[in-house]
Amino acid sequence: QQPVQSPQAVILREGEDAVINCSSSKALYSVHWYRQKHGEAPVFLMILLKGGEQKGHDKISASFNEKKQQSSLYLTASQLSYSGTYFCGTDPGAGSYQLTFGKGTKLSVIP
Amino acid sequence: DVKVTQSSRYLVKRTGEKVFLECVQDMDHENMFWYRQDPGLGLRLIYFSYDVKMKEKGDIPEGYSVSREKKERFSLILESASTNQTSMYLCASSATRSGKNYEQYFGPGTRLTVT
């Protein structure tokens, strides 16, 4: 079952902040975040492992709460280059090799 | 620089044709994946492979088969293409070490149109 991402779409002005949420109905071992720019392949941003780990990538950071089976992606002081569709991919662990991706959140940053 | 390549960026086929989509990775990754991407539905896993000649069904395997004869190459086969298989197809690869999944690297995609 696909994780649920919210919001589905968001429009920001440069410099504004945004939060994208990813919620799963299953227990998770890790959560991956990817960004896909228009006409391009998805690109890996970060992995969050079990243990409430927070990670950062430039001004993009994320958290993972395995008890709530949720992860959030934080985009701070957004730049035009942040525009794209963000996907979370959930990993149930237990020897699984695959990720289940959400439907994506389309982020548009305008001047 | 890591690389996943796909045989075609655009492909147009007729209903009923057999279609082969090929993917090659140069990172010596154990795992390879085929996804289809449709507007509003995200990335949905068709099949994946965790070793040569090994394959597992993903969430939407109906109408597809796969082949992995060499570690670097993973093929997606549409035995008899149908119009509802018109989509963007993305291949990806990843490593697995110590039981942990590492990041997936995606190819540029093949936009398949079945008429």
Side-chain angles (χ1 to χ4, degrees):
Chain A
Q1 195 170 1
Q2 285 181 286
V4 176
Q5 287 186 233
S6 63
Q8 290 183 331
V10 58
I11 300 174
L12 297 176
R13 290 201 179 275
E14 269 187 296
E16 290 183 335
D17 302 340
V19 180
I20 299 171
N21 299 302
C22 175
S23 179
S24 173
S25 59
K26 297 181 179 181
L28 300 175
Y29 175 76
S30 70
V31 178
H32 296 216
W33 285 96
Y34 292 78
R35 175 172 63 204
Q36 184 178 30
K37 298 195 175 186
H38 183 70
E40 298 181 8
V43 173
F44 169 77
L45 291 175
M46 63 191 78
I47 294 176
L48 297 109
L49 300 175
K50 204 171 179 178
E53 186 172 353
Q54 288 193 318
K55 282 222 168 182
H57 176 83
D58 196 11
K59 290 184 181 176
I60 300 174
S61 62
S63 63
F64 175 33
N65 185 326
E66 68 265 26
K67 283 186 181 177
K68 291 185 178 178
Q69 296 164 190
Q70 291 176 347
S71 177
S72 295
L73 189 71
Y74 307 95
L75 297 102
T76 305
S78 57
Q79 305 166 17
L80 295 175
S81 62
Y82 286 4
S83 293
T85 301
Y86 290 77
F87 294 98
C88 68
T90 55
D91 169 14
S96 171
Y97 299 97
Q98 64 185 90
L99 298 177
T100 304
F101 285 93
K103 294 182 179 180
T105 296
K106 186 174 181 180
L107 178 75
S108 301
V109 181
I110 58 175
Chain B
D1 199 19
V2 297
K3 216 163 187 181
V4 178
T5 56
Q6 295 183 226
S7 49
S8 306
R9 290 299 304 269
Y10 299 93
L11 209 54
V12 180
K13 295 291 181 180
R14 293 194 181 278
T15 302
E17 278 193 88
K18 191 168 185 175
V19 182
F20 292 87
L21 302 182
E22 295 208 319
C23 174
V24 178
Q25 51 99 359
D26 65 358
M27 296 164 280
D28 201 35
H29 282 169
E30 295 85 359
N31 309 314
M32 296 188 75
F33 308 84
W34 276 107
Y35 297 91
R36 65 176 282 175
Q37 183 173 26
D38 301 288
L41 298 180
L43 299 161
R44 293 181 294 164
L45 182 65
I46 304 171
Y47 267 97
F48 69 99
S49 168
Y50 53 91
D51 200 351
V52 175
K53 296 191 186 293
M54 305 304 289
K55 60 187 179 185
E56 293 274 350
K57 292 181 180 178
D59 299 315
I60 50 165
E62 297 79 19
Y64 303 95
S65 62
V66 290
S67 171
R68 193 170 180 197
E69 297 295 320
K70 293 186 178 181
K71 191 175 185 179
E72 67 271 18
R73 191 179 296 268
F74 191 34
S75 301
L76 180 70
I77 303 153
L78 288 69
E79 294 289 341
S80 178
S82 64
T83 54
N84 63 12
Q85 293 178 310
T86 290
S87 185
M88 172 67 83
Y89 290 87
L90 289 163
C91 174
S93 71
S94 74
T96 300
R97 299 184 196 98
S98 304
K100 293 180 183 176
N101 282 331
Y102 283 71
E103 63 268 29
Q104 295 190 12
Y105 293 86
F106 285 83
T110 296
R111 185 165 293 282
L112 173 68
T113 303
V114 183
T115 61

mmCIF file of all heavy atoms in Angstrom, chain A residues 12-55:
data_model
loop_
_atom_site.group_PDB
_atom_site.id
_atom_site.type_symbol
_atom_site.label_atom_id
_atom_site.label_comp_id
_atom_site.label_asym_id
_atom_site.label_seq_id
_atom_site.Cartn_x
_atom_site.Cartn_y
_atom_site.Cartn_z
ATOM 1 N N LEU A 12 5.206 28.166 -3.464
ATOM 2 C CA LEU A 12 5.938 29.012 -2.529
ATOM 3 C C LEU A 12 6.585 30.164 -3.265
ATOM 4 O O LEU A 12 6.952 30.034 -4.441
ATOM 5 C CB LEU A 12 7.081 28.222 -1.875
ATOM 6 C CG LEU A 12 6.782 27.023 -1.000
ATOM 7 C CD1 LEU A 12 8.088 26.381 -0.568
ATOM 8 C CD2 LEU A 12 5.973 27.437 0.210
ATOM 9 N N ARG A 13 6.795 31.261 -2.548
ATOM 10 C CA ARG A 13 7.651 32.320 -3.077
ATOM 11 C C ARG A 13 9.067 32.038 -2.584
ATOM 12 O O ARG A 13 9.272 31.435 -1.520
ATOM 13 C CB ARG A 13 7.189 33.682 -2.583
ATOM 14 C CG ARG A 13 5.864 34.095 -3.204
ATOM 15 C CD ARG A 13 5.652 35.608 -3.127
ATOM 16 N NE ARG A 13 4.392 35.975 -3.751
ATOM 17 C CZ ARG A 13 4.259 36.181 -5.059
ATOM 18 N NH1 ARG A 13 5.297 36.078 -5.868
ATOM 19 N NH2 ARG A 13 3.084 36.508 -5.566
ATOM 20 N N GLU A 14 10.030 32.461 -3.335
ATOM 21 C CA GLU A 14 11.434 32.302 -2.925
ATOM 22 C C GLU A 14 11.613 32.777 -1.487
ATOM 23 O O GLU A 14 11.102 33.839 -1.105
ATOM 24 C CB GLU A 14 12.339 33.159 -3.822
ATOM 25 C CG GLU A 14 12.862 32.446 -5.036
ATOM 26 C CD GLU A 14 13.886 33.283 -5.785
ATOM 27 O OE1 GLU A 14 13.501 34.351 -6.297
ATOM 28 O OE2 GLU A 14 15.055 32.871 -5.828
ATOM 29 N N GLY A 15 12.340 31.987 -0.724
ATOM 30 C CA GLY A 15 12.614 32.369 0.661
ATOM 31 C C GLY A 15 11.638 31.806 1.675
ATOM 32 O O GLY A 15 11.916 31.803 2.874
ATOM 33 N N GLU A 16 10.479 31.317 1.205
ATOM 34 C CA GLU A 16 9.501 30.752 2.132
ATOM 35 C C GLU A 16 9.865 29.312 2.484
ATOM 36 O O GLU A 16 10.670 28.662 1.811
ATOM 37 C CB GLU A 16 8.095 30.811 1.512
ATOM 38 C CG GLU A 16 7.550 32.229 1.409
ATOM 39 C CD GLU A 16 6.118 32.255 0.869
ATOM 40 O OE1 GLU A 16 5.708 31.310 0.151
ATOM 41 O OE2 GLU A 16 5.421 33.241 1.155
ATOM 42 N N ASP A 17 9.265 28.820 3.558
ATOM 43 C CA ASP A 17 9.521 27.459 4.029
ATOM 44 C C ASP A 17 8.338 26.558 3.691
ATOM 45 O O ASP A 17 7.206 27.038 3.505
ATOM 46 C CB ASP A 17 9.710 27.446 5.554
ATOM 47 C CG ASP A 17 10.845 28.331 6.017
ATOM 48 O OD1 ASP A 17 11.728 28.654 5.200
ATOM 49 O OD2 ASP A 17 10.839 28.699 7.208
ATOM 50 N N ALA A 18 8.613 25.257 3.626
ATOM 51 C CA ALA A 18 7.542 24.291 3.370
ATOM 52 C C ALA A 18 7.829 22.987 4.103
ATOM 53 O O ALA A 18 8.988 22.669 4.392
ATOM 54 C CB ALA A 18 7.409 24.021 1.869
ATOM 55 N N VAL A 19 6.761 22.260 4.385
ATOM 56 C CA VAL A 19 6.874 20.932 4.985
ATOM 57 C C VAL A 19 6.061 19.953 4.155
ATOM 58 O O VAL A 19 4.905 20.234 3.808
ATOM 59 C CB VAL A 19 6.340 20.907 6.436
ATOM 60 C CG1 VAL A 19 6.488 19.501 7.018
ATOM 61 C CG2 VAL A 19 7.064 21.924 7.295
ATOM 62 N N ILE A 20 6.670 18.829 3.828
ATOM 63 C CA ILE A 20 5.977 17.762 3.101
ATOM 64 C C ILE A 20 5.939 16.546 4.012
ATOM 65 O O ILE A 20 6.967 16.161 4.590
ATOM 66 C CB ILE A 20 6.710 17.418 1.786
ATOM 67 C CG1 ILE A 20 6.747 18.644 0.869
ATOM 68 C CG2 ILE A 20 6.017 16.252 1.086
ATOM 69 C CD1 ILE A 20 7.633 18.461 -0.365
ATOM 70 N N ASN A 21 4.775 15.961 4.156
ATOM 71 C CA ASN A 21 4.600 14.829 5.054
ATOM 72 C C ASN A 21 4.385 13.520 4.306
ATOM 73 O O ASN A 21 3.837 13.508 3.205
ATOM 74 C CB ASN A 21 3.405 15.078 5.982
ATOM 75 C CG ASN A 21 3.602 16.305 6.838
ATOM 76 O OD1 ASN A 21 4.563 16.399 7.583
ATOM 77 N ND2 ASN A 21 2.694 17.272 6.724
ATOM 78 N N CYS A 22 4.816 12.452 4.942
ATOM 79 C CA CYS A 22 4.689 11.109 4.375
ATOM 80 C C CYS A 22 4.247 10.184 5.486
ATOM 81 O O CYS A 22 4.922 10.086 6.519
ATOM 82 C CB CYS A 22 6.044 10.681 3.812
ATOM 83 S SG CYS A 22 6.131 8.986 3.190
ATOM 84 N N SER A 23 3.125 9.519 5.287
ATOM 85 C CA SER A 23 2.555 8.699 6.345
ATOM 86 C C SER A 23 2.266 7.293 5.823
ATOM 87 O O SER A 23 1.683 7.129 4.750
ATOM 88 C CB SER A 23 1.256 9.356 6.835
ATOM 89 O OG SER A 23 0.670 8.592 7.836
ATOM 90 N N SER A 24 2.670 6.292 6.603
ATOM 91 C CA SER A 24 2.486 4.911 6.181
ATOM 92 C C SER A 24 1.572 4.173 7.145
ATOM 93 O O SER A 24 1.544 4.466 8.344
ATOM 94 C CB SER A 24 3.842 4.208 6.130
ATOM 95 O OG SER A 24 3.693 2.828 5.870
ATOM 96 N N SER A 25 0.841 3.178 6.617
ATOM 97 C CA SER A 25 -0.005 2.342 7.462
ATOM 98 C C SER A 25 0.774 1.130 7.985
ATOM 99 O O SER A 25 0.261 0.353 8.787
ATOM 100 C CB SER A 25 -1.231 1.866 6.684
ATOM 101 O OG SER A 25 -0.824 1.132 5.551
ATOM 102 N N LYS A 26 2.026 0.989 7.531
ATOM 103 C CA LYS A 26 2.833 -0.155 7.944
ATOM 104 C C LYS A 26 4.034 0.312 8.756
ATOM 105 O O LYS A 26 4.493 1.447 8.605
ATOM 106 C CB LYS A 26 3.338 -0.905 6.707
ATOM 107 C CG LYS A 26 2.263 -1.513 5.843
ATOM 108 C CD LYS A 26 2.882 -2.259 4.660
ATOM 109 C CE LYS A 26 1.807 -2.893 3.801
ATOM 110 N NZ LYS A 26 2.385 -3.629 2.659
ATOM 111 N N ALA A 27 4.567 -0.600 9.572
ATOM 112 C CA ALA A 27 5.794 -0.296 10.309
ATOM 113 C C ALA A 27 6.937 -0.123 9.310
ATOM 114 O O ALA A 27 6.999 -0.803 8.291
ATOM 115 C CB ALA A 27 6.109 -1.439 11.270
ATOM 116 N N LEU A 28 7.809 0.796 9.622
ATOM 117 C CA LEU A 28 8.878 1.150 8.685
ATOM 118 C C LEU A 28 10.246 0.957 9.294
ATOM 119 O O LEU A 28 10.462 1.204 10.486
ATOM 120 C CB LEU A 28 8.730 2.611 8.255
ATOM 121 C CG LEU A 28 7.423 2.995 7.562
ATOM 122 C CD1 LEU A 28 7.387 4.495 7.311
ATOM 123 C CD2 LEU A 28 7.240 2.223 6.280
ATOM 124 N N TYR A 29 11.188 0.551 8.442
ATOM 125 C CA TYR A 29 12.586 0.488 8.846
ATOM 126 C C TYR A 29 13.305 1.771 8.442
ATOM 127 O O TYR A 29 14.152 2.277 9.169
ATOM 128 C CB TYR A 29 13.261 -0.720 8.203
ATOM 129 C CG TYR A 29 14.737 -0.793 8.475
ATOM 130 C CD1 TYR A 29 15.208 -1.218 9.716
ATOM 131 C CD2 TYR A 29 15.654 -0.431 7.501
ATOM 132 C CE1 TYR A 29 16.563 -1.272 9.973
ATOM 133 C CE2 TYR A 29 17.012 -0.488 7.751
ATOM 134 C CZ TYR A 29 17.460 -0.911 8.990
ATOM 135 O OH TYR A 29 18.804 -0.956 9.244
ATOM 136 N N SER A 30 12.958 2.284 7.277
ATOM 137 C CA SER A 30 13.572 3.519 6.806
ATOM 138 C C SER A 30 12.654 4.225 5.820
ATOM 139 O O SER A 30 11.690 3.643 5.310
ATOM 140 C CB SER A 30 14.926 3.247 6.143
ATOM 141 O OG SER A 30 14.760 2.583 4.902
ATOM 142 N N VAL A 31 12.964 5.488 5.602
ATOM 143 C CA VAL A 31 12.238 6.294 4.620
ATOM 144 C C VAL A 31 13.270 6.980 3.717
ATOM 145 O O VAL A 31 14.268 7.520 4.198
ATOM 146 C CB VAL A 31 11.352 7.357 5.296
ATOM 147 C CG1 VAL A 31 10.658 8.217 4.232
ATOM 148 C CG2 VAL A 31 10.314 6.696 6.188
ATOM 149 N N HIS A 32 13.014 6.931 2.419
ATOM 150 C CA HIS A 32 13.866 7.610 1.444
ATOM 151 C C HIS A 32 13.098 8.802 0.879
ATOM 152 O O HIS A 32 11.889 8.735 0.687
ATOM 153 C CB HIS A 32 14.190 6.684 0.269
ATOM 154 C CG HIS A 32 14.982 5.471 0.620
ATOM 155 N ND1 HIS A 32 15.936 4.953 -0.231
ATOM 156 C CD2 HIS A 32 14.975 4.652 1.706
ATOM 157 C CE1 HIS A 32 16.470 3.879 0.314
ATOM 158 N NE2 HIS A 32 15.909 3.673 1.484
ATOM 159 N N TRP A 33 13.817 9.857 0.540
ATOM 160 C CA TRP A 33 13.223 11.017 -0.137
ATOM 161 C C TRP A 33 13.953 11.267 -1.463
ATOM 162 O O TRP A 33 15.194 11.237 -1.521
ATOM 163 C CB TRP A 33 13.302 12.264 0.740
ATOM 164 C CG TRP A 33 12.314 12.258 1.857
ATOM 165 C CD1 TRP A 33 12.527 11.865 3.152
ATOM 166 C CD2 TRP A 33 10.940 12.671 1.794
ATOM 167 N NE1 TRP A 33 11.369 12.013 3.886
ATOM 168 C CE2 TRP A 33 10.387 12.509 3.080
ATOM 169 C CE3 TRP A 33 10.119 13.173 0.772
ATOM 170 C CZ2 TRP A 33 9.055 12.815 3.382
ATOM 171 C CZ3 TRP A 33 8.802 13.485 1.071
ATOM 172 C CH2 TRP A 33 8.288 13.308 2.351
ATOM 173 N N TYR A 34 13.145 11.534 -2.509
ATOM 174 C CA TYR A 34 13.666 11.796 -3.843
ATOM 175 C C TYR A 34 12.998 13.049 -4.399
ATOM 176 O O TYR A 34 11.864 13.380 -4.042
ATOM 177 C CB TYR A 34 13.363 10.622 -4.789
ATOM 178 C CG TYR A 34 14.116 9.361 -4.454
ATOM 179 C CD1 TYR A 34 13.708 8.552 -3.409
ATOM 180 C CD2 TYR A 34 15.245 8.986 -5.185
ATOM 181 C CE1 TYR A 34 14.416 7.404 -3.076
ATOM 182 C CE2 TYR A 34 15.945 7.832 -4.866
ATOM 183 C CZ TYR A 34 15.525 7.053 -3.813
ATOM 184 O OH TYR A 34 16.228 5.915 -3.494
ATOM 185 N N ARG A 35 13.704 13.726 -5.287
ATOM 186 C CA ARG A 35 13.125 14.874 -5.994
ATOM 187 C C ARG A 35 13.227 14.617 -7.491
ATOM 188 O O ARG A 35 14.278 14.180 -7.987
ATOM 189 C CB ARG A 35 13.858 16.168 -5.647
ATOM 190 C CG ARG A 35 13.375 17.389 -6.440
ATOM 191 C CD ARG A 35 13.987 18.664 -5.934
ATOM 192 N NE ARG A 35 15.430 18.702 -6.078
ATOM 193 C CZ ARG A 35 16.229 19.465 -5.323
ATOM 194 N NH1 ARG A 35 15.713 20.240 -4.389
ATOM 195 N NH2 ARG A 35 17.524 19.461 -5.523
ATOM 196 N N GLN A 36 12.156 14.927 -8.202
ATOM 197 C CA GLN A 36 12.138 14.784 -9.651
ATOM 198 C C GLN A 36 11.799 16.125 -10.288
ATOM 199 O O GLN A 36 10.704 16.650 -10.081
ATOM 200 C CB GLN A 36 11.117 13.721 -10.077
ATOM 201 C CG GLN A 36 11.115 13.447 -11.571
ATOM 202 C CD GLN A 36 10.122 12.354 -11.956
ATOM 203 O OE1 GLN A 36 9.089 12.177 -11.309
ATOM 204 N NE2 GLN A 36 10.421 11.612 -13.013
ATOM 205 N N LYS A 37 12.734 16.659 -11.043
ATOM 206 C CA LYS A 37 12.464 17.892 -11.773
ATOM 207 C C LYS A 37 11.795 17.534 -13.090
ATOM 208 O O LYS A 37 11.926 16.418 -13.594
ATOM 209 C CB LYS A 37 13.749 18.676 -12.002
ATOM 210 C CG LYS A 37 14.395 19.090 -10.682
ATOM 211 C CD LYS A 37 15.445 20.155 -10.859
ATOM 212 C CE LYS A 37 15.953 20.606 -9.498
ATOM 213 N NZ LYS A 37 16.880 21.735 -9.604
ATOM 214 N N HIS A 38 11.077 18.486 -13.623
ATOM 215 C CA HIS A 38 10.273 18.247 -14.821
ATOM 216 C C HIS A 38 11.122 17.685 -15.960
ATOM 217 O O HIS A 38 12.144 18.252 -16.329
ATOM 218 C CB HIS A 38 9.587 19.545 -15.255
ATOM 219 C CG HIS A 38 8.687 19.361 -16.432
ATOM 220 N ND1 HIS A 38 7.501 18.659 -16.353
ATOM 221 C CD2 HIS A 38 8.805 19.763 -17.713
ATOM 222 C CE1 HIS A 38 6.930 18.649 -17.539
ATOM 223 N NE2 HIS A 38 7.699 19.319 -18.373
ATOM 224 N N GLY A 39 10.716 16.542 -16.490
ATOM 225 C CA GLY A 39 11.416 15.938 -17.612
ATOM 226 C C GLY A 39 12.691 15.194 -17.245
ATOM 227 O O GLY A 39 13.415 14.745 -18.146
ATOM 228 N N GLU A 40 12.944 15.066 -15.952
ATOM 229 C CA GLU A 40 14.169 14.382 -15.521
ATOM 230 C C GLU A 40 13.843 13.169 -14.670
ATOM 231 O O GLU A 40 12.702 12.962 -14.256
ATOM 232 C CB GLU A 40 15.050 15.349 -14.732
ATOM 233 C CG GLU A 40 15.512 16.557 -15.542
ATOM 234 C CD GLU A 40 16.399 17.491 -14.736
ATOM 235 O OE1 GLU A 40 16.785 17.142 -13.593
ATOM 236 O OE2 GLU A 40 16.700 18.582 -15.234
ATOM 237 N N ALA A 41 14.877 12.380 -14.382
ATOM 238 C CA ALA A 41 14.701 11.214 -13.521
ATOM 239 C C ALA A 41 14.685 11.644 -12.056
ATOM 240 O O ALA A 41 15.268 12.666 -11.700
ATOM 241 C CB ALA A 41 15.848 10.233 -13.752
ATOM 242 N N PRO A 42 14.028 10.867 -11.197
ATOM 243 C CA PRO A 42 14.108 11.159 -9.757
ATOM 244 C C PRO A 42 15.550 11.074 -9.262
ATOM 245 O O PRO A 42 16.327 10.239 -9.722
ATOM 246 C CB PRO A 42 13.250 10.055 -9.121
ATOM 247 C CG PRO A 42 12.352 9.580 -10.222
ATOM 248 C CD PRO A 42 13.156 9.728 -11.480
ATOM 249 N N VAL A 43 15.873 11.952 -8.327
ATOM 250 C CA VAL A 43 17.223 11.992 -7.759
ATOM 251 C C VAL A 43 17.128 11.845 -6.249
ATOM 252 O O VAL A 43 16.301 12.494 -5.602
ATOM 253 C CB VAL A 43 17.929 13.311 -8.125
ATOM 254 C CG1 VAL A 43 19.255 13.437 -7.397
ATOM 255 C CG2 VAL A 43 18.145 13.401 -9.632
ATOM 256 N N PHE A 44 17.972 11.004 -5.712
ATOM 257 C CA PHE A 44 17.993 10.736 -4.275
ATOM 258 C C PHE A 44 18.366 11.984 -3.479
ATOM 259 O O PHE A 44 19.290 12.719 -3.846
ATOM 260 C CB PHE A 44 19.001 9.617 -4.017
ATOM 261 C CG PHE A 44 19.331 9.398 -2.576
ATOM 262 C CD1 PHE A 44 18.454 8.725 -1.754
ATOM 263 C CD2 PHE A 44 20.532 9.851 -2.046
ATOM 264 C CE1 PHE A 44 18.747 8.502 -0.430
ATOM 265 C CE2 PHE A 44 20.836 9.641 -0.727
ATOM 266 C CZ PHE A 44 19.946 8.962 0.082
ATOM 267 N N LEU A 45 17.636 12.212 -2.381
ATOM 268 C CA LEU A 45 17.970 13.310 -1.464
ATOM 269 C C LEU A 45 18.579 12.776 -0.168
ATOM 270 O O LEU A 45 19.660 13.192 0.233
ATOM 271 C CB LEU A 45 16.716 14.134 -1.132
ATOM 272 C CG LEU A 45 16.125 14.968 -2.268
ATOM 273 C CD1 LEU A 45 14.825 15.633 -1.810
ATOM 274 C CD2 LEU A 45 17.122 16.001 -2.750
ATOM 275 N N MET A 46 17.858 11.887 0.501
ATOM 276 C CA MET A 46 18.350 11.366 1.769
ATOM 277 C C MET A 46 17.579 10.131 2.210
ATOM 278 O O MET A 46 16.474 9.876 1.754
ATOM 279 C CB MET A 46 18.267 12.428 2.858
ATOM 280 C CG MET A 46 16.885 12.904 3.195
ATOM 281 S SD MET A 46 16.901 14.356 4.257
ATOM 282 C CE MET A 46 17.265 15.632 3.065
ATOM 283 N N ILE A 47 18.231 9.380 3.108
ATOM 284 C CA ILE A 47 17.606 8.227 3.762
ATOM 285 C C ILE A 47 17.521 8.519 5.251
ATOM 286 O O ILE A 47 18.479 9.023 5.843
ATOM 287 C CB ILE A 47 18.450 6.948 3.582
ATOM 288 C CG1 ILE A 47 18.507 6.504 2.137
ATOM 289 C CG2 ILE A 47 17.871 5.806 4.413
ATOM 290 C CD1 ILE A 47 19.402 5.301 1.915
ATOM 291 N N LEU A 48 16.402 8.160 5.858
ATOM 292 C CA LEU A 48 16.258 8.246 7.309
ATOM 293 C C LEU A 48 16.006 6.854 7.843
ATOM 294 O O LEU A 48 15.122 6.147 7.379
ATOM 295 C CB LEU A 48 15.112 9.170 7.684
ATOM 296 C CG LEU A 48 15.371 10.598 7.221
ATOM 297 C CD1 LEU A 48 14.458 10.953 6.089
ATOM 298 C CD2 LEU A 48 15.230 11.567 8.342
ATOM 299 N N LEU A 49 16.818 6.498 8.828
ATOM 300 C CA LEU A 49 16.715 5.164 9.382
ATOM 301 C C LEU A 49 15.947 5.184 10.695
ATOM 302 O O LEU A 49 15.848 6.209 11.362
ATOM 303 C CB LEU A 49 18.110 4.586 9.616
ATOM 304 C CG LEU A 49 18.986 4.458 8.370
ATOM 305 C CD1 LEU A 49 20.382 3.997 8.739
ATOM 306 C CD2 LEU A 49 18.357 3.478 7.391
ATOM 307 N N LYS A 50 15.484 4.024 11.079
ATOM 308 C CA LYS A 50 14.802 3.838 12.351
ATOM 309 C C LYS A 50 15.647 4.441 13.474
ATOM 310 O O LYS A 50 16.862 4.283 13.490
ATOM 311 C CB LYS A 50 14.644 2.335 12.594
ATOM 312 C CG LYS A 50 13.534 1.945 13.491
ATOM 313 C CD LYS A 50 13.362 0.422 13.446
ATOM 314 C CE LYS A 50 12.254 0.009 14.374
ATOM 315 N NZ LYS A 50 12.022 -1.434 14.321
ATOM 316 N N GLY A 51 14.991 5.147 14.399
ATOM 317 C CA GLY A 51 15.722 5.752 15.508
ATOM 318 C C GLY A 51 15.515 7.238 15.590
ATOM 319 O O GLY A 51 16.202 7.934 16.327
ATOM 320 N N GLY A 52 14.521 7.762 14.828
ATOM 321 C CA GLY A 52 14.222 9.186 14.914
ATOM 322 C C GLY A 52 15.280 10.055 14.278
ATOM 323 O O GLY A 52 15.429 11.222 14.609
ATOM 324 N N GLU A 53 16.028 9.468 13.360
ATOM 325 C CA GLU A 53 17.155 10.193 12.778
ATOM 326 C C GLU A 53 16.701 11.379 11.938
ATOM 327 O O GLU A 53 15.723 11.316 11.230
ATOM 328 C CB GLU A 53 17.946 9.241 11.892
ATOM 329 C CG GLU A 53 19.227 9.805 11.339
ATOM 330 C CD GLU A 53 20.036 8.731 10.634
ATOM 331 O OE1 GLU A 53 19.638 7.558 10.706
ATOM 332 O OE2 GLU A 53 21.037 9.077 10.041
ATOM 333 N N GLN A 54 17.458 12.452 12.041
ATOM 334 C CA GLN A 54 17.230 13.607 11.177
ATOM 335 C C GLN A 54 18.433 13.778 10.271
ATOM 336 O O GLN A 54 19.568 13.594 10.698
ATOM 337 C CB GLN A 54 17.040 14.868 12.021
ATOM 338 C CG GLN A 54 15.719 14.905 12.752
ATOM 339 C CD GLN A 54 15.432 16.265 13.311
ATOM 340 O OE1 GLN A 54 16.327 16.904 13.846
ATOM 341 N NE2 GLN A 54 14.204 16.717 13.202
ATOM 342 N N LYS A 55 18.153 14.121 9.042
ATOM 343 C CA LYS A 55 19.252 14.309 8.112
ATOM 344 C C LYS A 55 19.069 15.619 7.390
ATOM 345 O O LYS A 55 17.980 16.172 7.357
ATOM 346 C CB LYS A 55 19.258 13.165 7.105
ATOM 347 C CG LYS A 55 19.842 11.896 7.640
ATOM 348 C CD LYS A 55 20.721 11.249 6.606
ATOM 349 C CE LYS A 55 21.542 10.155 7.200
ATOM 350 N NZ LYS A 55 22.422 9.556 6.213
#
